[in-house]
Amino acid sequence: MRHLFLLALAITLFMSPMALRAEMTLLMAEEDGCMWCARWDSEISGIYPKTPEGNAAPLQRVDIHASMPDGIELGRPLYYTPTFVLLNNGREVGRIEGYPGEDFFWGLLGVLLRDAGVQIETSG
């Protein structure tokens, strides 16, 4: 009985830091033929996963015309491509509609992450 208690305590202590940490994701809504999506791809997509922002909020791409994956709760519908939605445990906490260019993108994403409580040294 004591062994079961110690095992349960160890599992609880091991799992609790993971349970307390929010899981951030950057959802990118795109569509075929979107020239701004293509521009984002050429300027950002190759480096995004290697940045502090990409590490803090890994990218998840969705087609704007498809149904949202399970577990995603948006604050309002998606109308424009690209739209970048910052998700905290699947729930929208901020968004960037359109692609304003590389310099503005990094700045806007940094503000979204900061407002969501993510402290990183930004790339922009």
Side-chain angles (χ1 to χ4, degrees), residues 21 38 81 86 94 109:
R21 187 178 64 186
T81 58
L86 185 61
L109 181 57

Side-chain angles (χ1 to χ4, degrees), residues 28-39 41 61-66 80-82:
M28 178 183 178
E30 59 187 339
E31 65 184 329
D32 287 338
C34 170
M35 66 180 248
W36 295 105
C37 300
R39 184 171 168 197
D41 280 338
R61 294 173 176 257
V62 296
D63 185 294
I64 196 166
H65 304 294
Y80 310 104
T81 58

Side-chain angles (χ1 to χ4, degrees), residues 41-61:
D41 280 338
S42 71
E43 294 177 357
I44 306 289
S45 70
I47 61 171
Y48 183 78
K50 302 171 189 171
T51 65
E53 294 88 346
N55 188 42
L59 186 68
Q60 179 181 356
R61 294 173 176 257

Side-chain angles (χ1 to χ4, degrees), residues 81-102:
T81 58
T83 295
F84 302 91
V85 182
L86 185 61
L87 302 170
N88 183 346
N89 292 320
R91 187 173 195 187
E92 180 175 346
V93 293
R95 71 170 60 190
I96 302 168
E97 292 180 319
Y99 176 60
E102 184 174 2

Side-chain angles (χ1 to χ4, degrees), residues 61-78:
R61 294 173 176 257
V62 296
D63 185 294
I64 196 166
H65 304 294
S67 57
M68 278 297 113
D70 289 339
I72 293 180
E73 183 181 332
L74 299 177
R76 61 186 199 276
L78 300 169

Side-chain angles (χ1 to χ4, degrees), residues 24-26 47-59 86 105-111 113 118 120-124:
M24 304 300 282
T25 306
L26 184 64
I47 61 171
Y48 183 78
K50 302 171 189 171
T51 65
E53 294 88 346
N55 188 42
L59 186 68
L86 185 61
F105 174 79
W106 291 117
L108 292 170
L109 181 57
V111 169
L113 288 166
V118 177
I120 59 170
E121 185 175 323
T122 59
S123 296

